[in-house]
Amino acid sequence: KPEEICFSSPKRDWRFGDLESLSNRLAQAMLALELVPGDRIACLTKHAAQCTAMTLAAQKIGAVCMPVNWRLAATEVSYILNHGQAKVLMTDIDFVNILNVIECPSLKKIVLSEDSIANSPPLDHRQSLETWAQAFPDDDPGYMPHPQETALQLYSSGTTGLPKGVELSHRSLSAAFQGPVPEAISYRGEGSIMLNALPSFHIAGIGIALMTYSLGGKSVLVPDFIPNHVLDVIVEHRITHAFLVPAMIQFLLQVPGAATRDYSALQCLSYGASPITDQVLVEAMATFACKFVQVYGLTETSGAVTALAAEDHVSEGPKSVLLRSAGKPILGVSLKVVDHESGETLPDGEVGEIWIKTLQNMKAYWRNPQATNEAFVDRDSDGLGWFRSGDAGFLQDGYLFLHDRIKDMIVSGGENIYPAEIENAMMKHPEIADIAAFGVPDAQWGESVKACVVLKPGSMYHDDLKASSAAIISWTRDRLAHFKCPRSIDFVESIPRNPSGKILKRILREPYWRNEHRQIH
Protein backbone atom coordinates (compact mmCIF):
# COMPACT_ATOMS: atom_id res chain seq x y z
CA LYS A 1 0.00 0.00 0.00
CA PRO A 2 1.63 3.26 -1.12
CA GLU A 3 0.49 5.17 1.98
CA GLU A 4 1.92 2.66 4.49
CA ILE A 5 5.26 3.36 6.19
CA CYS A 6 8.07 1.06 5.06
CA PHE A 7 11.01 2.76 6.81
CA SER A 8 10.99 4.86 9.96
CA SER A 9 14.25 6.72 10.51
CA PRO A 10 15.22 9.26 13.20
CA LYS A 11 14.62 12.14 10.77
CA ARG A 12 11.57 11.03 8.79
CA ASP A 13 9.19 8.26 7.79
CA TRP A 14 9.33 6.79 4.30
CA ARG A 15 6.21 5.36 2.70
CA PHE A 16 6.14 2.64 0.07
CA GLY A 17 4.92 5.20 -2.46
CA ASP A 18 7.84 7.50 -1.59
CA LEU A 19 10.42 4.77 -2.28
CA GLU A 20 8.74 3.67 -5.48
CA SER A 21 8.60 7.22 -6.86
CA LEU A 22 12.14 8.12 -5.75
CA SER A 23 13.64 4.95 -7.21
CA ASN A 24 11.84 5.53 -10.54
CA ARG A 25 13.17 9.09 -10.77
CA LEU A 26 16.68 8.00 -9.78
CA ALA A 27 16.60 5.30 -12.43
CA GLN A 28 15.71 7.93 -15.04
CA ALA A 29 18.50 10.19 -13.72
CA MET A 30 21.00 7.36 -14.14
CA LEU A 31 19.83 6.72 -17.68
CA ALA A 32 20.39 10.42 -18.40
CA LEU A 33 24.03 9.86 -17.35
CA GLU A 34 24.17 7.11 -19.99
CA LEU A 35 24.61 4.36 -17.45
CA VAL A 36 24.19 0.85 -18.82
CA PRO A 37 23.44 -2.57 -17.33
CA GLY A 38 26.34 -3.72 -15.16
CA ASP A 39 27.47 -0.25 -14.09
CA ARG A 40 28.13 0.15 -10.37
CA ILE A 41 26.38 2.68 -8.11
CA ALA A 42 28.22 3.27 -4.81
CA CYS A 43 26.58 4.26 -1.51
CA LEU A 44 28.74 5.62 1.32
CA THR A 45 25.94 6.19 3.78
CA LYS A 46 24.44 5.39 7.17
CA HIS A 47 20.94 5.86 5.75
CA ALA A 48 19.33 2.52 4.90
CA ALA A 49 16.25 4.06 3.27
CA GLN A 50 18.29 6.07 0.76
CA CYS A 51 20.56 3.07 0.14
CA THR A 52 17.49 0.92 -0.53
CA ALA A 53 16.17 3.56 -2.96
CA MET A 54 19.50 3.50 -4.83
CA THR A 55 19.45 -0.31 -4.88
CA LEU A 56 15.95 -0.37 -6.36
CA ALA A 57 16.80 2.37 -8.86
CA ALA A 58 19.93 0.57 -10.03
CA GLN A 59 18.01 -2.68 -10.50
CA LYS A 60 15.43 -0.86 -12.61
CA ILE A 61 18.09 -0.17 -15.26
CA GLY A 62 20.22 -3.30 -14.77
CA ALA A 63 22.91 -1.48 -12.78
CA VAL A 64 24.32 -2.72 -9.48
CA CYS A 65 24.22 -0.99 -6.10
CA MET A 66 27.52 -1.18 -4.21
CA PRO A 67 27.25 -0.18 -0.52
CA VAL A 68 30.61 0.89 0.92
CA ASN A 69 31.75 0.52 4.51
CA TRP A 70 31.68 4.05 5.92
CA ARG A 71 34.00 3.03 8.76
CA LEU A 72 36.89 2.56 6.33
CA ALA A 73 39.77 4.95 5.88
CA ALA A 74 39.76 7.18 2.81
CA THR A 75 42.37 5.04 1.04
CA GLU A 76 40.24 1.94 1.58
CA VAL A 77 37.12 3.67 0.28
CA SER A 78 39.10 4.81 -2.72
CA TYR A 79 40.23 1.25 -3.41
CA ILE A 80 36.66 -0.07 -3.39
CA LEU A 81 35.30 2.72 -5.60
CA ASN A 82 38.04 2.12 -8.14
CA HIS A 83 37.88 -1.65 -7.93
CA GLY A 84 34.12 -1.44 -8.49
CA GLN A 85 34.55 1.16 -11.24
CA ALA A 86 31.72 3.14 -9.69
CA LYS A 87 29.85 5.55 -11.96
CA VAL A 88 27.71 7.26 -9.29
CA LEU A 89 28.44 7.87 -5.62
CA MET A 90 25.91 8.81 -2.96
CA THR A 91 27.51 9.97 0.30
CA ASP A 92 26.45 11.46 3.62
CA ILE A 93 27.43 15.01 4.51
CA ASP A 94 29.55 13.58 7.34
CA PHE A 95 31.80 11.81 4.83
CA VAL A 96 32.26 14.67 2.36
CA ASN A 97 35.81 15.34 3.55
CA ILE A 98 36.80 11.87 2.33
CA LEU A 99 36.02 13.01 -1.20
CA ASN A 100 38.91 15.46 -1.06
CA VAL A 101 41.43 12.62 -1.03
CA ILE A 102 39.63 10.15 -3.29
CA GLU A 103 40.49 9.80 -6.94
CA CYS A 104 38.08 7.70 -8.96
CA PRO A 105 38.15 8.50 -12.70
CA SER A 106 35.06 6.39 -13.43
CA LEU A 107 32.75 8.59 -11.31
CA LYS A 108 30.25 10.66 -13.32
CA LYS A 109 28.13 11.98 -10.48
CA ILE A 110 28.37 12.56 -6.72
CA VAL A 111 25.20 13.28 -4.75
CA LEU A 112 24.43 13.75 -1.07
CA SER A 113 22.08 11.46 0.81
CA GLU A 114 20.35 14.49 2.34
CA ASP A 115 20.08 18.23 1.79
CA SER A 116 22.87 20.42 3.15
CA ILE A 117 22.42 21.70 6.67
CA ALA A 118 23.52 24.91 8.33
CA ASN A 119 27.23 25.08 9.11
CA SER A 120 27.97 22.01 7.03
CA PRO A 121 31.29 21.79 5.10
CA PRO A 122 31.50 23.51 1.70
CA LEU A 123 29.77 21.21 -0.76
CA ASP A 124 30.44 23.01 -4.04
CA HIS A 125 27.50 22.44 -6.39
CA ARG A 126 26.60 18.94 -5.24
CA GLN A 127 22.92 18.08 -5.12
CA SER A 128 21.04 15.96 -2.65
CA LEU A 129 19.64 12.66 -3.82
CA GLU A 130 16.06 13.90 -3.88
CA THR A 131 16.92 17.23 -5.54
CA TRP A 132 18.75 15.34 -8.29
CA ALA A 133 15.83 12.95 -8.73
CA GLN A 134 13.11 15.61 -8.90
CA ALA A 135 14.28 16.78 -12.33
CA PHE A 136 13.29 13.43 -13.87
CA PRO A 137 9.94 11.72 -14.51
CA ASP A 138 8.36 9.20 -12.16
CA ASP A 139 8.44 6.39 -14.73
CA ASP A 140 9.75 2.88 -14.19
CA PRO A 141 12.18 2.16 -17.09
CA GLY A 142 10.81 -1.37 -17.21
CA TYR A 143 14.14 -3.23 -17.32
CA MET A 144 13.68 -7.00 -16.90
CA PRO A 145 16.87 -8.59 -15.55
CA HIS A 146 17.96 -12.16 -16.09
CA PRO A 147 17.87 -14.04 -12.75
CA GLN A 148 21.64 -14.56 -12.86
CA GLU A 149 22.49 -10.91 -13.48
CA THR A 150 24.18 -9.19 -10.57
CA ALA A 151 21.75 -7.29 -8.34
CA LEU A 152 23.98 -6.21 -5.46
CA GLN A 153 27.72 -6.01 -4.78
CA LEU A 154 29.05 -6.11 -1.23
CA TYR A 155 32.67 -6.16 -0.16
CA SER A 156 34.04 -8.82 2.15
CA SER A 157 35.18 -7.54 5.53
CA GLY A 158 38.83 -7.79 4.55
CA THR A 159 40.12 -9.42 7.71
CA THR A 160 42.94 -10.73 5.53
CA GLY A 161 44.24 -9.02 2.42
CA LEU A 162 42.26 -6.68 0.20
CA PRO A 163 38.46 -6.86 0.30
CA LYS A 164 36.73 -8.78 -2.48
CA GLY A 165 33.60 -7.62 -4.26
CA VAL A 166 30.90 -10.23 -3.73
CA GLU A 167 28.41 -10.31 -6.62
CA LEU A 168 24.94 -11.39 -5.52
CA SER A 169 22.51 -12.13 -8.33
CA HIS A 170 18.77 -11.57 -8.46
CA ARG A 171 18.45 -15.35 -8.10
CA SER A 172 20.65 -15.32 -4.99
CA LEU A 173 18.70 -12.57 -3.23
CA SER A 174 15.32 -13.99 -4.19
CA ALA A 175 16.30 -17.47 -2.99
CA ALA A 176 17.22 -16.02 0.41
CA PHE A 177 14.76 -13.24 1.15
CA GLN A 178 11.57 -14.32 -0.61
CA GLY A 179 10.95 -17.33 1.62
CA PRO A 180 13.62 -19.31 3.47
CA VAL A 181 15.15 -16.52 5.59
CA PRO A 182 11.88 -14.85 6.66
CA GLU A 183 10.46 -18.29 7.41
CA ALA A 184 13.48 -19.16 9.55
CA ILE A 185 13.07 -16.05 11.71
CA SER A 186 9.23 -16.20 11.77
CA TYR A 187 8.91 -12.93 9.87
CA ARG A 188 5.53 -12.44 8.18
CA GLY A 189 5.87 -9.00 6.55
CA GLU A 190 2.74 -6.88 6.76
CA GLY A 191 1.95 -5.99 10.37
CA SER A 192 5.49 -6.80 11.56
CA ILE A 193 7.92 -4.15 12.79
CA MET A 194 11.60 -4.99 12.27
CA LEU A 195 14.49 -3.33 14.08
CA ASN A 196 17.31 -2.70 11.60
CA ALA A 197 20.37 -1.55 13.53
CA LEU A 198 22.93 -2.98 11.11
CA PRO A 199 24.75 -0.99 8.40
CA SER A 200 23.72 -1.33 4.77
CA PHE A 201 27.18 -2.50 3.75
CA HIS A 202 26.48 -5.64 5.81
CA ILE A 203 24.47 -8.40 4.11
CA ALA A 204 22.13 -8.53 7.10
CA GLY A 205 21.57 -4.76 7.05
CA ILE A 206 20.76 -4.37 3.35
CA GLY A 207 19.14 -7.83 3.27
CA ILE A 208 16.71 -6.94 6.06
CA ALA A 209 15.88 -3.65 4.32
CA LEU A 210 15.13 -5.38 1.02
CA MET A 211 13.27 -8.23 2.72
CA THR A 212 10.96 -6.05 4.78
CA TYR A 213 10.30 -3.76 1.81
CA SER A 214 9.48 -6.61 -0.59
CA LEU A 215 7.23 -8.36 1.94
CA GLY A 216 5.31 -5.21 2.89
CA GLY A 217 6.61 -4.85 6.43
CA LYS A 218 7.94 -1.88 8.37
CA SER A 219 11.55 -1.34 9.45
CA VAL A 220 12.70 1.03 12.18
CA LEU A 221 16.16 2.21 11.20
CA VAL A 222 18.92 2.92 13.72
CA PRO A 223 21.90 4.49 11.88
CA ASP A 224 24.15 4.57 14.99
CA PHE A 225 24.19 1.76 17.52
CA ILE A 226 23.84 3.39 20.94
CA PRO A 227 22.72 0.63 23.35
CA ASN A 228 20.40 2.71 25.54
CA HIS A 229 18.79 4.29 22.46
CA VAL A 230 18.28 0.89 20.82
CA LEU A 231 16.43 -0.35 23.90
CA ASP A 232 14.28 2.80 23.75
CA VAL A 233 13.45 2.06 20.11
CA ILE A 234 12.49 -1.55 20.87
CA VAL A 235 10.08 -0.39 23.56
CA GLU A 236 8.66 2.78 21.98
CA HIS A 237 8.15 1.38 18.47
CA ARG A 238 6.79 -1.94 19.73
CA ILE A 239 9.39 -3.86 17.74
CA THR A 240 8.25 -7.38 16.85
CA HIS A 241 11.42 -8.69 15.18
CA ALA A 242 15.12 -7.87 15.42
CA PHE A 243 18.41 -9.18 14.11
CA LEU A 244 21.53 -8.37 16.14
CA VAL A 245 25.10 -9.57 16.24
CA PRO A 246 26.22 -11.08 19.58
CA ALA A 247 28.39 -8.08 20.50
CA MET A 248 25.31 -5.86 20.21
CA ILE A 249 23.30 -8.16 22.45
CA GLN A 250 26.11 -8.11 24.99
CA PHE A 251 26.14 -4.28 25.00
CA LEU A 252 22.34 -4.13 25.41
CA LEU A 253 22.48 -6.39 28.45
CA GLN A 254 25.01 -4.07 30.08
CA VAL A 255 22.63 -1.06 29.98
CA PRO A 256 21.45 -0.30 33.53
CA GLY A 257 17.85 -1.42 33.96
CA ALA A 258 17.81 -3.40 30.70
CA ALA A 259 16.12 -6.37 32.34
CA THR A 260 13.19 -4.31 33.68
CA ARG A 261 11.91 -2.76 30.42
CA ASP A 262 8.76 -3.76 28.56
CA TYR A 263 9.63 -6.00 25.61
CA SER A 264 6.18 -7.58 25.39
CA ALA A 265 5.79 -6.78 21.67
CA LEU A 266 9.03 -8.57 20.77
CA GLN A 267 8.24 -11.89 19.10
CA CYS A 268 11.62 -13.03 17.77
CA LEU A 269 15.21 -11.94 18.23
CA SER A 270 17.52 -13.52 15.69
CA TYR A 271 21.29 -13.31 15.95
CA GLY A 272 24.40 -14.39 14.10
CA ALA A 273 27.49 -13.20 12.16
CA SER A 274 29.87 -14.25 14.97
CA PRO A 275 29.92 -16.77 17.83
CA ILE A 276 27.91 -16.07 20.97
CA THR A 277 28.87 -17.27 24.41
CA ASP A 278 26.51 -19.37 26.51
CA GLN A 279 26.49 -16.75 29.25
CA VAL A 280 25.38 -13.90 26.99
CA LEU A 281 22.74 -16.04 25.25
CA VAL A 282 21.17 -17.36 28.45
CA GLU A 283 21.05 -13.85 29.98
CA ALA A 284 19.52 -12.43 26.78
CA MET A 285 16.85 -15.14 26.69
CA ALA A 286 15.87 -14.28 30.25
CA THR A 287 15.89 -10.51 29.60
CA PHE A 288 13.93 -10.32 26.34
CA ALA A 289 11.66 -13.32 26.97
CA CYS A 290 10.86 -13.95 23.30
CA LYS A 291 11.75 -16.52 20.67
CA PHE A 292 15.47 -16.67 19.84
CA VAL A 293 16.75 -17.91 16.49
CA GLN A 294 20.42 -18.21 15.63
CA VAL A 295 21.41 -17.98 11.97
CA TYR A 296 24.70 -18.72 10.25
CA GLY A 297 25.74 -17.50 6.84
CA LEU A 298 28.16 -15.38 4.89
CA THR A 299 28.06 -12.45 2.52
CA GLU A 300 28.85 -14.97 -0.21
CA THR A 301 25.69 -16.95 0.61
CA SER A 302 23.37 -13.92 0.68
CA GLY A 303 23.17 -14.30 4.44
CA ALA A 304 21.63 -17.12 6.47
CA VAL A 305 21.99 -20.74 5.37
CA THR A 306 21.32 -22.43 8.72
CA ALA A 307 19.01 -21.63 11.63
CA LEU A 308 18.81 -22.84 15.20
CA ALA A 309 15.08 -22.79 15.82
CA ALA A 310 13.42 -21.26 18.86
CA GLU A 311 12.42 -24.69 20.19
CA ASP A 312 16.11 -25.68 20.26
CA HIS A 313 17.01 -22.79 22.57
CA VAL A 314 16.91 -24.74 25.84
CA SER A 315 19.34 -23.61 28.54
CA GLU A 316 19.15 -26.68 30.79
CA GLY A 317 19.16 -30.44 30.36
CA PRO A 318 20.60 -32.67 27.60
CA LYS A 319 19.25 -30.45 24.82
CA SER A 320 21.19 -27.42 26.11
CA VAL A 321 24.23 -28.54 24.08
CA LEU A 322 22.39 -27.24 21.00
CA LEU A 323 22.97 -23.66 22.18
CA ARG A 324 26.48 -24.12 20.80
CA SER A 325 25.01 -25.12 17.45
CA ALA A 326 24.27 -22.92 14.43
CA GLY A 327 21.22 -25.05 13.72
CA LYS A 328 20.10 -26.96 10.66
CA PRO A 329 20.18 -25.95 6.97
CA ILE A 330 17.26 -23.77 5.93
CA LEU A 331 15.07 -24.65 2.94
CA GLY A 332 17.06 -25.03 -0.28
CA VAL A 333 20.47 -25.37 1.40
CA SER A 334 22.77 -28.42 1.42
CA LEU A 335 25.78 -28.66 3.74
CA LYS A 336 28.71 -31.00 4.13
CA VAL A 337 31.93 -30.94 6.14
CA VAL A 338 35.08 -31.96 4.32
CA ASP A 339 38.76 -32.42 4.96
CA HIS A 340 40.32 -29.07 4.04
CA GLU A 341 43.18 -30.66 2.11
CA SER A 342 41.62 -33.69 0.38
CA GLY A 343 38.01 -32.56 0.00
CA GLU A 344 36.85 -35.89 1.45
CA THR A 345 33.49 -35.74 3.21
CA LEU A 346 33.91 -36.26 6.95
CA PRO A 347 31.59 -38.23 9.26
CA ASP A 348 29.55 -36.67 12.06
CA GLY A 349 31.63 -35.20 14.85
CA GLU A 350 34.81 -34.60 12.85
CA VAL A 351 35.92 -31.00 12.34
CA GLY A 352 36.57 -29.84 8.81
CA GLU A 353 35.70 -27.10 6.33
CA ILE A 354 32.01 -26.32 5.81
CA TRP A 355 30.90 -26.52 2.17
CA ILE A 356 27.56 -25.04 1.09
CA LYS A 357 25.38 -25.64 -1.98
CA THR A 358 22.39 -23.34 -2.52
CA LEU A 359 20.87 -20.95 -5.04
CA GLN A 360 21.73 -18.26 -2.48
CA ASN A 361 25.44 -18.62 -3.28
CA MET A 362 27.14 -15.64 -4.87
CA LYS A 363 27.61 -15.33 -8.59
CA ALA A 364 31.31 -14.46 -8.40
CA TYR A 365 33.97 -12.25 -6.90
CA TRP A 366 33.94 -9.13 -9.07
CA ARG A 367 36.96 -8.94 -11.38
CA ASN A 368 38.65 -11.84 -9.59
CA PRO A 369 38.16 -15.09 -11.53
CA GLN A 370 40.97 -16.84 -9.67
CA ALA A 371 39.35 -16.27 -6.27
CA THR A 372 35.97 -17.26 -7.71
CA ASN A 373 37.34 -20.54 -9.06
CA GLU A 374 39.08 -21.28 -5.75
CA ALA A 375 35.85 -20.66 -3.85
CA PHE A 376 33.74 -23.23 -5.72
CA VAL A 377 33.93 -26.97 -6.30
CA ASP A 378 32.00 -28.90 -9.00
CA ARG A 379 30.14 -25.87 -10.31
CA ASP A 380 27.71 -26.57 -13.15
CA SER A 381 26.69 -24.44 -16.14
CA ASP A 382 23.97 -22.74 -14.07
CA GLY A 383 26.54 -21.61 -11.53
CA LEU A 384 25.40 -24.06 -8.86
CA GLY A 385 28.18 -25.79 -6.95
CA TRP A 386 29.76 -26.27 -3.54
CA PHE A 387 30.98 -23.03 -1.96
CA ARG A 388 34.01 -23.43 0.29
CA SER A 389 33.13 -21.32 3.32
CA GLY A 390 36.57 -21.20 4.95
CA ASP A 391 34.81 -21.88 8.26
CA ALA A 392 35.65 -24.86 10.46
CA GLY A 393 32.92 -26.93 12.07
CA PHE A 394 31.26 -30.32 12.29
CA LEU A 395 27.82 -31.86 11.79
CA GLN A 396 26.05 -33.86 14.46
CA ASP A 397 22.57 -35.31 13.90
CA GLY A 398 21.86 -32.70 11.24
CA TYR A 399 23.00 -29.73 13.37
CA LEU A 400 25.99 -27.62 12.39
CA PHE A 401 28.50 -26.73 15.09
CA LEU A 402 30.98 -23.96 14.29
CA HIS A 403 34.50 -23.81 15.66
CA ASP A 404 36.24 -20.98 13.89
CA ARG A 405 37.65 -19.61 10.71
CA ILE A 406 40.09 -22.23 9.48
CA LYS A 407 42.82 -19.61 9.33
CA ASP A 408 42.33 -18.90 13.06
CA MET A 409 43.04 -22.49 14.10
CA ILE A 410 45.97 -22.88 16.49
CA VAL A 411 48.26 -25.91 16.21
CA SER A 412 50.16 -26.50 19.44
CA GLY A 413 52.24 -29.64 19.87
CA GLY A 414 50.35 -31.28 17.02
CA GLU A 415 46.97 -30.58 18.59
CA ASN A 416 44.36 -28.51 16.77
CA ILE A 417 42.86 -25.83 18.99
CA TYR A 418 39.88 -23.66 18.07
CA PRO A 419 39.80 -20.20 19.73
CA ALA A 420 35.99 -20.04 19.88
CA GLU A 421 35.97 -22.89 22.40
CA ILE A 422 38.45 -21.04 24.63
CA GLU A 423 36.55 -17.75 24.32
CA ASN A 424 33.24 -19.39 25.18
CA ALA A 425 34.71 -20.94 28.32
CA MET A 426 36.54 -17.83 29.51
CA MET A 427 33.53 -15.54 29.01
CA LYS A 428 31.93 -17.40 31.94
CA HIS A 429 34.59 -16.00 34.30
CA PRO A 430 32.85 -13.49 36.60
CA GLU A 431 35.56 -10.82 36.16
CA ILE A 432 35.86 -10.96 32.33
CA ALA A 433 33.90 -8.59 30.06
CA ASP A 434 35.38 -9.65 26.72
CA ILE A 435 38.08 -11.99 25.43
CA ALA A 436 39.94 -13.01 22.29
CA ALA A 437 42.19 -16.06 21.97
CA PHE A 438 44.76 -16.64 19.23
CA GLY A 439 48.05 -18.39 18.51
CA VAL A 440 51.49 -16.88 19.02
CA PRO A 441 54.91 -18.35 18.17
CA ASP A 442 56.28 -20.82 20.72
CA ALA A 443 59.78 -22.29 20.46
CA GLN A 444 58.74 -25.53 22.15
CA TRP A 445 55.20 -26.17 20.92
CA GLY A 446 55.21 -24.33 17.59
CA GLU A 447 52.32 -22.18 18.71
CA SER A 448 50.85 -21.43 22.10
CA VAL A 449 47.58 -19.87 23.12
CA LYS A 450 47.46 -16.23 24.15
CA ALA A 451 44.36 -14.44 25.41
CA CYS A 452 43.62 -10.74 25.33
CA VAL A 453 41.22 -10.00 28.17
CA VAL A 454 38.99 -7.03 28.95
CA LEU A 455 38.15 -6.92 32.66
CA LYS A 456 34.79 -5.71 33.89
CA PRO A 457 34.73 -2.11 35.20
CA GLY A 458 35.48 -2.00 38.91
CA SER A 459 36.86 -5.54 38.98
CA MET A 460 39.30 -6.22 41.82
CA TYR A 461 41.48 -7.94 39.21
CA HIS A 462 42.66 -4.50 38.07
CA ASP A 463 44.70 -4.15 41.26
CA ASP A 464 47.30 -6.87 40.55
CA LEU A 465 47.37 -7.91 36.89
CA LYS A 466 50.13 -10.49 37.31
CA ALA A 467 48.24 -12.34 40.02
CA SER A 468 45.01 -11.93 38.08
CA SER A 469 46.57 -13.50 34.99
CA ALA A 470 47.62 -16.56 36.97
CA ALA A 471 44.19 -16.80 38.60
CA ILE A 472 42.36 -16.68 35.25
CA ILE A 473 44.62 -19.32 33.70
CA SER A 474 44.12 -21.57 36.72
CA TRP A 475 40.36 -21.02 36.55
CA THR A 476 40.32 -21.88 32.83
CA ARG A 477 42.32 -25.06 33.40
CA ASP A 478 39.50 -26.31 35.58
CA ARG A 479 37.18 -26.06 32.57
CA LEU A 480 39.29 -26.92 29.52
CA ALA A 481 42.04 -29.37 28.64
CA HIS A 482 45.34 -27.80 29.66
CA PHE A 483 46.70 -27.71 26.11
CA LYS A 484 43.75 -25.51 25.12
CA CYS A 485 44.23 -23.00 27.92
CA PRO A 486 46.12 -19.71 27.46
CA ARG A 487 49.74 -19.76 28.53
CA SER A 488 49.78 -15.97 28.74
CA ILE A 489 47.27 -13.16 29.10
CA ASP A 490 47.40 -9.54 28.01
CA PHE A 491 44.93 -7.16 29.61
CA VAL A 492 43.51 -4.66 27.11
CA GLU A 493 40.85 -1.93 27.11
CA SER A 494 38.90 -3.36 24.18
CA ILE A 495 38.90 -6.19 21.61
CA PRO A 496 39.10 -5.01 17.98
CA ARG A 497 36.09 -6.14 15.94
CA ASN A 498 34.81 -5.56 12.43
CA PRO A 499 31.31 -4.14 11.78
CA SER A 500 29.88 -7.67 11.88
CA GLY A 501 31.18 -8.14 15.42
CA LYS A 502 33.88 -10.61 14.39
CA ILE A 503 37.14 -10.35 16.31
CA LEU A 504 39.97 -9.03 14.14
CA LYS A 505 42.53 -11.71 14.96
CA ARG A 506 44.84 -10.30 12.31
CA ILE A 507 45.32 -7.12 14.36
CA LEU A 508 45.89 -9.05 17.58
CA ARG A 509 48.32 -11.54 16.02
CA GLU A 510 50.40 -9.05 14.04
CA PRO A 511 52.78 -7.82 16.81
CA TYR A 512 53.73 -11.39 17.74
CA TRP A 513 54.26 -12.67 14.18
CA ARG A 514 55.87 -9.54 12.72
CA ASN A 515 59.41 -10.98 12.58
CA GLU A 516 58.45 -14.52 11.67
CA HIS A 517 59.08 -15.96 8.22
CA ARG A 518 55.70 -17.71 8.30
CA GLN A 519 52.43 -16.81 9.97
CA ILE A 520 51.94 -20.35 11.29
CA HIS A 521 54.29 -22.77 13.05
Side-chain angles (χ1 to χ4, degrees):
K1 300 177 182 179
E3 70 279 4
E4 295 288 335
I5 295 172
C6 55
F7 295 117
S8 180
S9 72
K11 294 185 178 180
R12 63 172 287 189
D13 289 335
W14 296 78
R15 303 182 187 278
F16 285 94
D18 298 336
L19 263 289
E20 176 67 13
S21 175
L22 178 59
S23 60
N24 284 342
R25 294 178 186 276
L26 287 171
Q28 295 292 344
M30 293 175 191
L31 289 176
L33 288 176
E34 299 183 344
L35 268 61
V36 298
D39 282 342
R40 266 54 180 173
I41 312 300
C43 293
L44 184 67
T45 180
K46 291 184 178 182
H47 300 296
Q50 288 91 322
C51 187
T52 302
M54 288 292 268
T55 302
L56 298 172
Q59 292 178 357
K60 288 178 178 181
I61 65 167
V64 179
C65 187
M66 195 174 76
V68 181
N69 185 342
W70 46 262
R71 295 187 176 113
L72 297 178
T75 53
E76 296 171 301
V77 172
S78 182
Y79 169 80
I80 290 174
L81 293 178
N82 281 284
H83 181 264
Q85 299 171 323
K87 298 295 177 65
V88 175
L89 169 64
M90 177 185 71
T91 183
D92 294 351
I93 291 171
D94 292 344
F95 308 134
V96 161
N97 289 337
I98 292 179
L99 304 182
N100 297 329
V101 293
I102 286 177
E103 292 185 8
C104 183
S106 62
L107 280 176
K108 293 185 174 184
K109 182 78 174 180
I110 299 174
V111 294
L112 302 174
S113 59
E114 299 179 299
D115 290 325
S116 301
I117 56 175
N119 302 317
S120 64
L123 302 176
D124 305 325
H125 58 282
R126 296 182 186 116
Q127 298 171 292
S128 72
L129 189 70
E130 292 184 83
T131 301
W132 180 40
Q134 283 304 313
F136 298 90
D138 180 5
D139 297 323
D140 188 328
Y143 183 83
M144 296 298 292
H146 186 279
Q148 288 182 250
E149 287 184 32
T150 305
L152 185 69
Q153 183 161 311
L154 301 174
Y155 277 79
S156 62
S157 55
T159 51
T160 58
L162 294 171
K164 297 189 289 288
V166 178
E167 294 187 72
L168 301 177
S169 67
H170 291 272
R171 183 180 74 173
S172 303
L173 296 177
S174 177
F177 297 112
Q178 292 298 316
V181 171
E183 181 66 25
I185 63 174
S186 304
Y187 181 78
R188 299 290 179 260
E190 190 171 356
S192 299
I193 304 174
M194 172 71 78
L195 172 73
N196 193 345
L198 292 166
S200 296
F201 57 79
H202 189 293
I203 180 58
I206 189 63
I208 287 171
L210 294 172
M211 179 185 76
T212 57
Y213 181 84
S214 63
L215 296 180
K218 175 183 176 181
S219 284
V220 180
L221 309 175
V222 181
D224 295 294
F225 184 81
I226 302 170
N228 190 65
H229 173 63
V230 171
L231 291 182
D232 290 341
V233 167
I234 293 173
V235 173
E236 293 169 10
H237 286 267
R238 305 288 292 168
I239 296 296
T240 63
H241 293 75
F243 178 86
L244 298 169
V245 302
M248 288 178 167
I249 296 175
Q250 187 174 343
F251 291 140
L252 294 181
L253 295 174
Q254 293 170 356
V255 174
T260 63
R261 301 200 188 197
D262 177 14
Y263 308 115
S264 58
L266 195 58
Q267 299 172 21
C268 182
L269 196 161
S270 50
Y271 61 97
S274 62
I276 192 168
T277 64
D278 295 348
Q279 180 184 356
V280 170
L281 180 55
V282 171
E283 185 179 348
M285 290 165 62
T287 297
F288 296 107
C290 65
K291 291 182 179 179
F292 272 68
V293 175
Q294 180 181 177
V295 297
Y296 160 72
L298 303 92
T299 302
E300 288 89 341
T301 61
S302 306
V305 290
T306 72
L308 183 68
E311 56 266 28
D312 289 328
H313 281 70
V314 179
S315 58
E316 295 180 355
K319 199 174 181 180
S320 63
V321 68
L322 293 179
L323 291 183
R324 296 297 314 279
S325 164
K328 294 182 175 181
I330 65 175
L331 185 66
V333 173
S334 297
L335 291 182
K336 65 179 178 179
V337 174
V338 306
D339 180 271
H340 182 59
E341 299 298 330
S342 69
E344 178 184 352
T345 301
L346 297 174
D348 272 17
E350 288 197 26
V351 174
E353 184 178 19
I354 301 160
W355 286 13
I356 304 162
K357 180 183 283 188
T358 170
L359 292 175
Q360 295 178 207
N361 282 345
M362 69 172 185
K363 174 182 175 181
Y365 288 118
W366 170 246
R367 298 174 61 199
N368 196 338
Q370 179 179 344
T372 302
N373 291 335
E374 291 172 353
F376 285 97
V377 176
D378 297 333
R379 209 174 191 193
D380 61 24
S381 57
D382 290 329
L384 188 62
W386 290 101
F387 175 73
R388 306 178 62 169
S389 73
D391 285 334
F394 65 91
L395 288 167
Q396 190 71 52
D397 300 324
Y399 289 86
L400 176 67
F401 289 78
L402 300 173
H403 269 290
D404 242 315
R405 293 292 297 176
I406 285 176
K407 62 176 176 292
D408 287 339
M409 186 175 70
I410 303 164
V411 181
S412 183
E415 293 283 356
N416 293 344
I417 303 170
Y418 295 91
E421 185 177 7
I422 303 167
E423 290 157 1
N424 187 69
M426 293 183 69
M427 270 301 293
K428 296 176 182 176
H429 193 290
E431 302 298 326
I432 292 178
D434 206 358
I435 184 291
F438 53 99
V440 296
D442 187 294
Q444 183 175 9
W445 302 104
E447 292 178 84
S448 63
V449 179
K450 176 175 281 291
C452 283
V453 168
V454 179
L455 293 174
K456 290 182 177 179
S459 169
M460 62 181 181
Y461 274 37
H462 287 285
D463 298 333
D464 187 341
L465 296 181
K466 184 176 181 180
S468 299
S469 176
I472 291 172
I473 291 173
S474 176
W475 183 92
T476 307
R477 285 183 171 182
D478 290 336
R479 289 155 178 82
L480 287 176
H482 285 197
F483 74 85
K484 297 180 181 180
C485 296
R487 293 178 177 271
S488 60
I489 289 177
D490 288 349
F491 293 97
V492 297
E493 293 185 359
S494 63
I495 302 297
R497 297 176 182 271
N498 75 1
S500 302
K502 293 179 182 177
I503 297 171
L504 294 171
K505 299 285 176 71
R506 168 180 53 85
I507 293 175
L508 294 172
R509 284 167 48 92
E510 198 276 334
Y512 304 97
W513 292 88
R514 187 177 295 148
N515 298 319
E516 302 294 321
H517 295 298
R518 295 188 302 169
Q519 295 302 297
I520 55 172
H521 278 178

